[in-house]
Every structure is written in C-alpha cells, then in structure tokens.
Amino acid sequence: MTRPPTPETLAHRANPATVAAAAGQHGVVASPAPTTGAGSLVRSLEALGVEVAFGIPGGAILPAYDPLYDSKVRHILVRHEQGAGHAATGYAQATGKVGVCIATSGPGATNLVTPIADAYMDSVPIVAITGQVARPAIGTDAFQEADIQGITLPITKHNFLVQNAEEVPRIMAEAFHLAATGRPGPVLVDIPKDVLQAQTTFSWPPTLDLPGYRPTLHPHGKQIREAAKLIAQARRPVLYVGGGVIKAGATEGLRKLAEQTGMPVVTTLMALGSFPDSHPQHLGMPGMHGTVPAVYALQKSDLLVVLGARFDDRVTGKLDSFAPDAKVVHADIDPAEIGKNRHADVPIVGDARHVIDELIAAVGTGPSAGAGAYQQWWAQLNDLRERYPLGYDEPTDGTLSPQYVIERIGKLVGPDAIYVAGVGQHQMWASQFISYEKPGTWLNSGGAGTMGYAVPAAMGAKVGRPDTAVWAIDGDGCFQMTNQELATCALEGIPVKIAVINNGNLGMVRQWQTLFYEGRYSNTDLGTHKHRIPDFVKLAEALGCIGLRCESAADVDKTIEAAMAINDAPVVIDFTVGKDAMVWPMVAAGTSNDEIMFARDVRPTFEEDDL
C-alpha cells in the first residue's frame, strides 16, 4: 500500500543533508561493476528508489530501454510525451516523491516542454530524462536533434547534458537531490546515445558536486522576532497561505499557528487542503475567483503573514492597489520570491515548516494573542461570510448545473479522495464546491494553467496512491487534448474516474466573451453538444474504458455511484451541462480586488466603517 506523504517525510525530502546521505538515502551500496551508460542510468534509478517512470522509447533513448526491460522500475508506456510529463507531476504531487518521465531526442524531448514548464511554475519535483543524438552529431542538425538543454533552460531548476558515461550516477543523484530539496522543481538530464552505449563502471553512492547549492531551511531568529512583534501589534492580520506550506509538510504547524493567534486564514489555489475548508478561521480562496471575505480580508488587512506564496497576479489583482494598508511578513524558501512583486517589511528565508514552528514559539500566548484581539475584525469578516456565501443559480433553461454536478461528486466521493482538475471554469468550480480537508487531495495546474493536465496527472496520482480514489474533473476542451492516456490507463490497470463537465464550449473563454466582448462567441463552440462530436461515451469505450452519460439533475447521484462501484477499469462520465453558467465571484483581469463582483452586475456592499 502506498500512503500519502506525511509532514515528516516531506520535510525529510526538503532537507539537504550531507552529500553522501543524499546520494545513498536508500541505503544502497554497490561495488564497482562493468556496465554501459544505459545500464548505469537504470541502476542509478533503482538506487535512488524510483518505483515508476512514464515514457516512450525512440531512437536516441533506445539503449536505455534495454536494461529497463529487466529492471524492477515499472515503466508505464504512455501515448504522448506530454502525458508522461504530467503523469510524473501528478505522481509527485500525490506522493511527495520525485516523478520521472523519459523521452527520446528531438520531438520526443520537445513534447515534454509543456509539462516541464508546468512543473516549474508549480514547484513540482520531477526529473525528465531525454535521449540526445550522439556527441559527434550535436550541432549538425542531425535527424531528431533538438537543443533540449537550451530550450528548457528557463523552465528547469537545473539541467544537464551528460558528457561521458562515468558521470551518469553522479548526475542522476544530483538531479534528484536538486529536484526534491529547497524549492522543488523540474530537472532535465539529456544523455547522448553514444554515452548510453559506452562501456563504463557503475558504483554507488556517488559523490555529489554542487558547489553553492545550500538552501536555507532555518529562518534567522531576528526576523522571526520582528514578525512576532508585528503580529502582536496587528488588529486586522491575515495568514496568506501558499502551496509551499504543503510542500514543506507544514500543515499541522499551520493549524496550530492559526488557532494560537486567532488570525483569519486564506489559502491560494495551490494551497487548498493545507488548512481545512471546514475550519471556522478559514475564509476560503483569495483572488480572481476567490470568496468575497477572503478578497476583502487581504484588501483591508493591516498585516499579511505570507507563507510559501508568491503574490501571483491572480491573487493580487492590480498590484499597486493590493492590500494598500498592510505591512508584509513574507516567508519563502526561495529568496528570489521575496520582494519580487511586493515589498516585504519582514523578509524571512526558510522552509515553511521551520518558519511556522519558530513563529509558534515566538508569538506565545500573551495578551495580544488569540481571537479576542481581533474581535472587531472577525465581526466584519463573519458579516461578509453570511451575506456573500459561495453559491450558484440553477439554470433557467432546465439544463444541468455544472456546479451541482461537482458539488455532488465532492459530497459522495468524500474528502479522502484525490481530485485533479483541468483548467478553466470546471477547475474554479472544483476549487469552490468541493471541500478540501487534507493536504495532497487537490491537484491542478495553477501557475501555467495547462489545458490537458487532468487526465495524465490523475493517472500519475493513481499510480502513486493506488488505494485512494482519484477523480479528474475535466472540461470538454481540456479532455480532448490528452484523453489518449486513457488507453494507457486501461492497459496498465489504472482505474481513474474522469468527470467531463461538457458544456459544449471553451467555457472560461466564452465567459470572458460574454462579459467583455459583447457576446461575440468567436471560435469557442466545440460541437460536443450540437453535433456530439466526439461522443465521449463511445470514445471512452474505444479507449478501453467504461463510458457513462448524465444529462439531468435527477440522475447525477446514481451516475456518480455507478462510477464509484467500478474499480477494475477507468470510467469516463459525460456530464452534459448548460453552456451559460459562469464562475463567480470574479475580479476582472487587470482591475483592483476592490472591484470584486459577487455575481453578474452585483457588487458587494461594505459598511463605510469597514472601508
């Protein structure tokens, strides 16, 4: 049984211990033995504890696939390299381990660019291994040659071009160490074909050579004391929590800090599940489609305690109008994020788990701590919660409500499942109408907004946690980009559930066309309603899956329950929903959060005293 990552295991992976311990973390010691570069690669993967890799063979990487044939590493043959990359990401997000994807040179490698960029934006630890043309052919525009090292330079934490076979064990150990420690991220290892074919000697563990790479884990004590002073002085503070808290395994500490201080908590799209949605101090998600109280709290705060977040534009709205009266305590393991978008009055560089633990000790339980200090602040926020709860209107044309479908999936499947979203309206509804109570139960493409993420990421998550129910909430547009990986799921015995929220359109684009382009629907009708092309039920069956369809509210629960009862095959449900539903609340792009709309033509009203 594969269990979800615990705070302790996540924290261990974030701790760059000694070089030797990092390379030999699984207790593997191998005496020198003759092999090829390819054999050395596969034995390195085994020594690093890799259980699964997602990939497709091809000419330049083919030498690596021969020793892989006899390896204990499970290789899952995907149908497109993009699927391999997103599957590695889903696996990493669900387990806390490093995900692995493999592709050949040229177009095989360039097909990994999108998932690598996606993992980079969301700080996901993956290692992408690519074949390259033989060293003498590099730079000659050889068949299937692409400078994948140069192409991915801006979207990887680090990348390598292996120059000789003796380097393979060291570089693989370094790649995994870099991917998993500090601020996690993707690392690419490009290996020429002749290096894979060359004779060498394999031994383990290698000695890593990473001069200058020493992520700061423990925060400076003076900065912690300064942060504690600001917390004691604040009367309208907010804990602004980002995905870094989940990656650091700091969710238990976060809850303790919140309850000890009584501060309101907002969790970004990448942080859903880091703090229970049901907790009375949780105001919800901030930003473009955040809750009214969460957006208001940030805007009117006098102190933002920012933990593992990066002041993304989707949270801040118009940056120069964001939280104008707030002082900022900004804690992040990546010093480049601090001060990048918003000045930090107290910058703290460190791992979120250690930062939170030290803040808990520093703030204590003095007279200024606890909810009593923020009584007036909470009265304002609770009033907004009562007046502007998340909700939706039933369609007036009798069509099925997409929000209702997603809400019922969350209720019936429950908080222990993993929910994986594509990108668009369905993603926002899934963030709003499913309750996330635990870390690691919500996976999505937050920074890059990659359509096509959901199906392969769900596949990777299910491989990593086979005993956990995995539901992808996808749109009919996203689903058509990567649904070929359902064939992989069917053949490999990966029983994911795919709920296609089929509104017949590129829904979020259509919403913007409705609101900002006078209803001129240019190229957003996908034909999945009018022509039923493709027929998602038939497509599912053609890909070896079970296909179901639901078109009425009366059938929603029994359709979900029917899917839940199937555990020996992937299931695709075509939820045919209305095309006119919109995501609310909304802060229009480029505008101030003060201009949040609760619904179309409905702006929240705030008491003058609040403003």
Side-chain angles (χ1 to χ4, degrees):
M1 175 177 178
T2 303
R3 293 179 172 84
T6 64
E8 291 75 20
T9 56
L10 283 166
H12 173 74
R13 278 189 285 276
N15 187 348
T18 65
V19 164
Q25 59 183 307
H26 297 279
V28 176
V29 177
S31 301
T35 186
T36 62
S40 185
L41 170 64
V42 173
R43 291 194 63 183
S44 296
L45 292 174
E46 292 171 344
L48 287 159
V50 173
E51 297 170 348
V52 63
F54 304 88
I56 302 180
I61 196 67
L62 195 56
Y65 272 80
D66 187 63
L68 195 58
Y69 186 76
D70 301 313
S71 174
K72 62 183 179 181
V73 176
R74 178 186 180 188
H75 181 273
I76 293 178
L77 178 63
V78 297
R79 297 303 181 265
H80 192 287
E81 291 88 356
Q82 183 179 351
H86 291 315
T89 293
Y91 177 89
Q93 288 177 308
T95 65
K97 301 175 184 177
V98 177
V100 179
C101 53
I102 304 174
T104 196
S105 64
T110 57
N111 279 343
L112 286 177
V113 168
T114 295
I116 289 172
D118 181 271
Y120 184 73
M121 289 288 281
D122 288 343
S123 303
V124 180
I126 67 170
V127 170
I129 301 165
T130 54
Q132 182 56 274
V133 299
R135 285 171 295 178
I138 292 176
T140 68
D141 293 331
F143 177 68
Q144 289 191 335
E145 181 190 0
D147 178 12
I148 197 62
Q149 186 185 30
I151 290 168
T152 60
L153 191 64
I155 55 168
T156 49
K157 185 175 177 182
H158 193 67
N159 61 25
F160 298 88
L161 175 63
V162 181
Q163 299 288 352
N164 61 71
E166 290 71 31
E167 296 178 333
V168 170
R170 174 182 59 80
I171 286 176
M172 292 306 299
E174 289 173 355
F176 276 71
H177 182 62
L178 288 167
T181 57
R183 180 179 182 173
V187 177
L188 179 130
V189 180
D190 195 31
I191 312 178
K193 186 172 185 177
D194 61 326
V195 170
L196 291 170
Q197 294 171 320
Q199 292 297 313
T200 185
T201 299
F202 173 81
S203 63
W204 195 270
T207 299
L208 276 64
D209 182 21
L210 295 170
Y213 180 71
R214 296 181 183 86
T216 300
L217 295 184
H218 293 275
H220 195 289
K222 178 178 181 293
Q223 300 304 93
I224 293 292
R225 292 191 295 272
E226 291 299 318
K229 286 180 187 177
L230 289 184
I231 292 171
Q233 296 165 2
R235 287 300 172 263
R236 300 188 309 279
V238 178
L239 279 168
Y240 164 12
V241 179
V245 168
I246 292 178
K247 296 180 190 308
T251 57
E252 292 176 10
L254 170 65
R255 182 167 184 162
K256 185 175 180 181
L257 176 64
E259 292 176 347
Q260 182 172 312
T261 61
M263 285 191 281
V265 179
V266 302
T267 52
T268 67
L269 184 67
M270 294 305 297
L272 295 181
S274 63
F275 194 76
D277 278 357
S278 60
H279 196 286
Q281 285 173 245
H282 190 231
L283 298 179
M285 185 175 72
M288 176 176 278
H289 294 296
T291 68
V292 171
V295 171
Y296 174 90
L298 292 180
Q299 284 301 96
K300 307 307 174 186
S301 171
D302 64 0
L303 176 67
L304 299 179
V305 180
V306 186
L307 303 170
R310 57 187 180 86
F311 291 96
D312 179 77
D313 63 287
R314 283 299 193 259
V315 169
T316 66
K318 189 178 179 183
L319 188 59
D320 61 11
S321 69
F322 176 70
D325 300 322
K327 291 186 176 180
V328 173
V329 174
H330 191 180
D332 203 287
I333 199 165
D334 183 359
E337 286 296 345
I338 297 176
K340 183 179 80 174
N341 291 330
R342 172 69 180 252
H343 170 73
D345 298 277
V346 179
I348 303 175
V349 178
D351 179 79
R353 188 170 70 100
H354 296 297
V355 171
I356 289 170
D357 287 348
E358 295 191 29
L359 280 175
I360 289 168
V363 298
T365 54
S368 63
Y374 314 130
Q375 190 171 357
Q376 184 178 356
W377 182 223
W378 270 114
Q380 295 168 355
L381 298 175
N382 286 330
D383 173 63
L384 289 174
R385 281 208 279 208
E386 291 177 11
R387 288 193 287 136
Y388 300 106
L390 283 174
Y392 55 91
D393 294 324
E394 289 292 337
T396 57
D397 59 1
T399 55
L400 180 57
S401 162
Q403 299 98 318
Y404 176 73
V405 169
I406 292 169
E407 186 175 50
R408 293 308 299 161
I409 291 172
K411 293 287 186 185
L412 293 172
V413 178
D416 294 325
I418 295 173
Y419 299 93
V420 187
V423 171
Q425 288 181 314
H426 61 279
Q427 174 192 27
M428 294 297 101
W429 290 323
S431 73
Q432 293 175 332
F433 296 111
I434 295 175
S435 182
Y436 301 99
E437 302 296 315
K438 303 174 182 180
T441 55
W442 164 250
L443 313 183
N444 82 126
S445 172
T450 305
M451 293 179 68
Y453 166 90
V455 171
M459 175 174 71
K462 185 65 174 176
V463 169
R465 290 170 59 183
D467 298 321
T468 301
V470 177
W471 279 71
I473 313 293
D474 216 0
D476 47 331
C478 291
F479 181 67
Q480 292 186 74
M481 294 190 175
T482 51
N483 62 53
Q484 68 270 15
E485 297 311 332
L486 288 173
T488 309
C489 292
L491 291 168
E492 293 280 348
I494 307 169
V496 292
K497 310 288 193 291
I498 314 293
V500 180
I501 309 302
N502 176 11
N503 64 2
N505 286 264
L506 297 171
M508 188 63 85
V509 181
R510 190 178 194 277
Q511 176 169 333
W512 283 43
Q513 288 173 334
T514 300
L515 296 175
F516 310 122
Y517 293 89
E518 301 177 343
R520 290 164 55 83
Y521 301 118
S522 174
N523 291 282
T524 45
D525 188 331
L526 291 167
T528 52
H529 276 197
K530 188 186 304 180
H531 306 291
R532 196 162 274 178
I533 298 175
D535 182 318
F536 290 132
V537 172
K538 292 179 179 177
L539 179 62
E541 292 170 349
L543 290 168
C545 306
I546 306 297
L548 305 173
R549 178 172 288 117
C550 179
E551 298 178 289
S552 70
D555 293 334
V556 167
D557 281 17
K558 65 182 181 183
T559 305
I560 295 169
E561 289 165 352
M564 291 171 66
I566 300 168
N567 293 305
D568 58 353
V571 181
V572 176
I573 311 172
D574 177 1
F575 286 105
T576 308
V577 301
K579 64 183 179 182
D580 292 319
M582 293 193 189
V583 182
W584 299 105
M586 181 176 181
V587 179
T591 66
S592 168
N593 281 350
D594 291 325
E595 299 177 46
I596 185 173
M597 301 297 289
F598 178 60
R600 191 171 186 183
D601 301 324
V602 179
R603 189 180 300 280
T605 58
F606 306 114
E607 297 292 337
E608 284 300 313
D609 289 345
D610 294 352
L611 299 174

